[in-house]
Amino acid sequence: MSDLLETQSERLLEAVRGLLAQKGIASPSEISERIAITDRASPGQGARMVAKAWTDPAYRALMLADGAKAAEAIGIPMRGMPPLGVLENTPELHNLVVCTLCSCYPRAVLGYPPFWYKSAAYRARAVRDPRTMLAEEWQTVIPAEVKLRVVDSTADYRWMVLPLRPAGTDGWSEDRLAAIVREGDMIGVTIPTV
Amino acid sequence: MTLAPGSAVRVRLDWPETRGPVHIRTPWYLRGARGTVVRHLGDFPNPEDLAFARPAERRALYHVLFDQDAIWREDHPGDELLVELYEHWLEPA
Amino acid sequence: MRFHPPRGMRYAPGMDNDELPRAHHDLGGVPKFLCEPVDVEPHALTDFDKEVDAIRQILGAKQVMSVDELRRGIEAIPEAEYHRLSYYRRWIRSITDNLLRKGVITEAELRAALGSP
């Protein structure tokens, strides 16, 4: 069996695709449909949640209590998805999410995990020298007086960060706020700025 | 088992990796570490069994907080690690 | 970067004791990656990546294979291969391993589907 598993990946995929279709488990059209659905999840969705939480205290409370309900409340499909926890950054606390064991990521609201999130370097360093890593790789400097909390996503939840609303955004609309929130802001490697 | 928020716990000092093929969700770096329960996140089927398609009992999952410098003492005192851990990996400290 | 040796204890959490077995996917704090830069550039997924991802989702939704089984299969890939293979190449290998293991497909069927190299 092990020799079969060492088959070149593209050939393995082609063979498995054929067998799954033959057995009625996954047809090519089901696969295309699933790809299309998955492509619809993107950091823009998480950014909409963040922007709404910045402008609507009731929504913010809902988001911190139950991320999945908050996602559903703005039309993000969460059925069959793992529970979503939201980690609130404050002036005293900065959250950083990593999955040291694999690559658990809040895909429902951020889309596919980025390359760096899945890398051995990120997974090794985020729990051990997070401040150095953030400064070296993202030029994100967490002030010494701010506590850094690294959240290792090891089990059934998925975690996203609710970043701090940057100064200079008073009176901005939700859309305008959402446009400044990036993928990394919702994992904690970067901080939204204007 | 229900651990109240604030309970002092210790992660079991165990290496199931030595006893054959396993799938565990308790990182190596936390074995034996002392932490504090933040909250009970819910009960979930034990992934150690799910991974082998065995019947999986539901187990309590906790969010547990650790001092970063009690584990590595090299980045910044006061920083923290927050990790999801199943009840069978925790013992009272 | 500064790395202090562990205090004078036989074992302390987080210490780098090579004698304690550590699974190669269990990467938190592993010394050999601590000086490795993080590649923060965007890497677009390929059609191969997306198809493998979609197949995994379908197998999960139809309860053919759980995400935990996927992970077990990934963790079973020998260390050198694990680090050599891209993310979704690990996945297709684990998916195939699980389908064979569970009898969803047989070795003979897979050999036939692969044809001659």
Side-chain angles (χ1 to χ4, degrees), chain A residues 49 52-66 70 73:
Chain A
M49 293 173 70
K52 193 167 176 60
W54 282 347
T55 54
D56 177 347
Y59 186 80
R60 178 191 196 86
L62 173 67
M63 188 167 159
L64 293 174
D66 186 334

Side-chain angles (χ1 to χ4, degrees), chain A residues 180-194:
Chain A
I180 61 166
V181 180
R182 296 159 298 171
E183 181 179 60
D185 303 338
M186 294 177 280
I187 292 300
V189 295
T190 51
I191 291 169
T193 51
V194 291

Side-chain angles (χ1 to χ4, degrees), chain C residues 9-58:
Chain C
M9 300 165 93
R10 198 177 69 82
Y11 172 78
M15 70 183 264
D16 299 317
N17 187 336
D18 292 341
E19 288 166 24
L20 296 171
R22 176 172 194 143
H24 57 76
H25 69 278
D26 190 347
L27 286 171
V30 168
K32 71 174 167 182
F33 294 110
L34 293 176
C35 293
E36 190 172 296
V38 180
D39 178 356
V40 301
E41 292 304 314
H43 292 249
L45 295 190
T46 62
D47 290 345
F48 169 87
D49 295 342
K50 290 188 177 187
E51 187 172 355
V52 173
D53 192 285
I55 287 175
R56 206 297 301 163
Q57 291 185 55
I58 293 168

Side-chain angles (χ1 to χ4, degrees), chain A residues 13-87:
Chain A
L13 171 59
E14 202 186 320
V16 166
R17 177 204 293 135
L19 289 169
L20 291 177
Q22 221 175 73
K23 290 171 185 285
I25 297 172
S27 67
S29 65
E30 275 178 288
I31 294 173
S32 311
E33 189 189 345
R34 182 42 53 190
I35 292 172
I37 292 169
T38 311
D39 277 342
R40 263 177 248 146
S42 76
Q45 292 179 306
R48 275 169 55 222
M49 293 173 70
V50 168
K52 193 167 176 60
W54 282 347
T55 54
D56 177 347
Y59 186 80
R60 178 191 196 86
L62 173 67
M63 188 167 159
L64 293 174
D66 186 334
K69 276 194 187 139
E72 276 173 341
I74 61 164
I76 301 170
M78 295 299 287
R79 225 170 60 115
M81 293 291 183
L84 175 67
V86 178
L87 307 155

Side-chain angles (χ1 to χ4, degrees), chain B:
Chain B
M1 177 171 85
T2 306
L3 292 166
S7 304
V9 290
R10 181 171 183 257
V11 181
R12 243 174 53 215
L13 191 54
D14 189 17
W15 284 268
E17 295 92 333
T18 54
R19 301 193 289 271
V22 287
H23 171 74
I24 41 186
R25 303 301 296 174
T26 300
W28 187 94
Y29 69 82
L30 279 179
R31 314 280 168 87
R34 282 162 195 278
T36 307
V37 171
V38 174
R39 68 182 175 111
H40 175 214
L41 292 166
D43 297 341
F44 296 90
N46 186 356
E48 298 174 13
D49 291 319
L50 288 179
F52 292 88
R54 298 187 294 246
E57 242 178 71
R58 292 177 85 82
R59 296 279 168 86
L61 182 68
Y62 294 95
H63 231 184
V64 184
L65 192 63
F66 300 88
D67 283 337
Q68 156 92 26
D69 76 340
I71 297 174
W72 282 304
R73 313 174 184 92
E74 47 203 35
D75 208 51
H76 188 80
D79 285 352
E80 297 170 339
L81 281 158
L82 184 59
V83 186
E84 290 152 86
L85 296 167
Y86 292 92
E87 59 181 349
H88 59 280
W89 273 94
L90 300 173
E91 49 197 31

